[in-house]
Amino acid sequence: MITFINMLSQMAPYLLLGFLMAGLLHVFVPANFFERHLSKENFKSVLLAGLIGIPLPLCSCGVIPTAISLRKDGASRGATVAFMISTPQIGVDSIIATYSMMGLPFAIVRPNQVIYRIDGMSCNHCKNSVEKAIRGLENVENVEVVLGKKEAVVTGKPSDEDVKKAVEELGFDFKGRK
């Protein structure tokens, strides 16, 4: 129960931002816009939904209430899924954050990043061990472990099985892709 409350308190600001964005879209975008442009199950509506998400500053938690609002306003399933995938991954805020923290080369190759969930890391020694193990794998360009999020951000295209094996050999619990 404590873990649930802790996770909810960490997610709450982002969920509230998502509710705010959903409300703003509902108030400022004409009611028939989503139904008119995103309701069809075709490539055009999927592409448009993905493009709509780029300027919105939503993470993977905040995009959920906004996507639910889009769906209720008439967006197709495909368009809703495209919005949910594109917004946190290629949103302008994500690209800017990557650029400011890691520079232009990483902002450009950012779509080649994979985020893995890893439980059991608790200190810098854990962080360094996981980074070193994953960095040694084939097709890995860079690794950044974020302890607070229990994540390893891997740039490149490693095999998921190789990453899992490397992490589990260290004694950590590999949870898969985020």
Side-chain angles (χ1 to χ4, degrees):
M1 184 66 173
I2 292 172
T3 303
F4 173 75
I5 292 170
N6 185 25
M7 186 172 29
L8 184 62
S9 68
Q10 290 177 6
M11 291 171 46
Y14 305 106
L15 287 171
L16 290 174
L17 177 63
F19 284 121
L20 173 69
M21 293 303 293
L24 291 172
L25 285 174
H26 187 74
V27 170
F28 292 108
V29 177
N32 64 352
F33 176 84
F34 298 113
E35 188 174 344
R36 189 176 50 209
H37 295 288
L38 303 179
S39 63
K40 295 184 177 114
E41 291 285 349
N42 60 22
F43 180 75
K44 182 181 175 185
S45 67
V46 170
L47 178 65
L48 183 59
L51 293 173
I52 288 171
I54 292 175
L56 299 178
L58 297 173
C59 67
S60 57
C61 295
V63 76
I64 294 169
T66 309
I68 291 170
S69 177
L70 287 177
R71 182 77 174 126
K72 286 182 179 178
D73 286 343
S76 68
R77 288 182 187 154
T80 304
V81 170
F83 178 83
M84 288 181 68
I85 293 170
S86 71
T87 303
Q89 183 62 24
I90 59 171
V92 70
D93 60 320
S94 297
I95 302 298
I96 290 170
T98 303
Y99 174 75
S100 67
M101 289 188 293
M102 304 177 91
L104 183 61
F106 286 101
I108 292 170
V109 299
R110 187 174 186 283
N112 291 328
Q113 289 183 333
V114 180
I115 301 175
Y116 295 102
R117 295 273 306 157
I118 302 171
D119 284 346
M121 301 180 295
S122 59
C123 64
N124 277 333
H125 176 71
C126 299
K127 174 186 183 301
N128 294 336
S129 297
V130 170
E131 286 177 346
K132 182 178 179 184
I134 296 174
R135 193 173 287 118
L137 298 175
E138 188 175 333
N139 297 322
V140 173
E141 297 169 24
N142 191 41
V143 181
E144 180 69 32
V145 170
V146 182
L147 278 176
K149 292 184 173 184
K150 299 179 182 179
E151 296 175 351
V153 180
V154 180
T155 304
K157 296 187 186 229
S159 155
D160 291 347
E161 283 301 314
D162 289 346
V163 175
K164 178 180 180 180
K165 183 179 177 187
V167 167
E168 289 180 346
E169 282 180 358
L170 294 172
F172 300 109
D173 190 13
F174 179 82
K175 296 293 187 180
R177 288 181 182 229
K178 181 177 177 186

